[in-house]
Amino acid sequence: MPTASRHTIDLGHEIFLDLDVVGRFELDWDLRWKTVDIAQGSFSVGSPSGPVQVATDFVRGQLEVRVDPLSGLVGCTAMIELRELGVQPPTWKTVFDRTDSHLALIDPTKGCVAGLETSYPP
């Protein structure tokens, strides 16, 4: 039975992308600013999450997450803006606007062999 594992990717400016491997090829993701969850979704390894709109009082933008099924490379295409506090009228600052195919390396096939999460090669 596959086990869950969690990966946190720091996108900068206190914005984090949390990935949970919940099955052999299924991932849940949460985008958070500091400790506040601002968007979430799930997708299959090898299929992108699809562009997801992010819209809160302090964070806005668009995000698409993907994981390559063979290499385990996590990538994303995102444009994220933060609202500058104490500025009137509201002013937004772009803090992440790029496509990055090498954000992190994860094992998307987390599971057990003979009851162990790691095994020796044949």
Side-chain angles (χ1 to χ4, degrees), residues 8-74:
T8 297
I9 301 166
D10 186 348
L11 300 178
H13 300 276
E14 299 183 273
I15 299 174
F16 300 94
L17 178 63
D18 296 320
L19 295 176
D20 286 306
V21 181
V22 293
R24 287 188 58 141
F25 298 105
E26 297 296 318
L27 287 99
D28 289 340
W29 63 268
D30 294 302
L31 184 68
R32 63 184 162 89
W33 175 57
K34 299 183 181 187
T35 59
V36 178
D37 288 337
I38 55 177
Q40 58 191 344
S42 62
F43 65 101
S44 298
V45 172
S47 300
S49 64
V52 175
Q53 294 296 321
V54 176
T56 71
D57 291 340
F58 300 102
V59 181
R60 69 181 184 188
Q62 182 172 303
L63 172 74
E64 180 176 75
V65 183
R66 67 194 156 281
V67 176
D68 182 270
L70 299 177
S71 67
L73 283 173
V74 177

Side-chain angles (χ1 to χ4, degrees), residues 37-112:
D37 288 337
I38 55 177
Q40 58 191 344
S42 62
F43 65 101
S44 298
V45 172
S47 300
S49 64
V52 175
Q53 294 296 321
V54 176
T56 71
D57 291 340
F58 300 102
V59 181
R60 69 181 184 188
Q62 182 172 303
L63 172 74
E64 180 176 75
V65 183
R66 67 194 156 281
V67 176
D68 182 270
L70 299 177
S71 67
L73 283 173
V74 177
C76 83
T77 299
M79 192 287 294
I80 300 172
E81 297 177 311
L82 290 178
R83 185 174 144 197
E84 294 188 30
L85 300 176
V87 177
Q88 289 298 330
T91 304
W92 295 86
K93 176 183 176 185
T94 301
V95 295
F96 192 94
D97 187 9
R98 68 179 188 261
T99 295
D100 194 335
S101 59
H102 297 93
L103 280 178
L105 181 63
I106 68 168
D107 180 2
T109 60
K110 188 98 171 131
C112 296

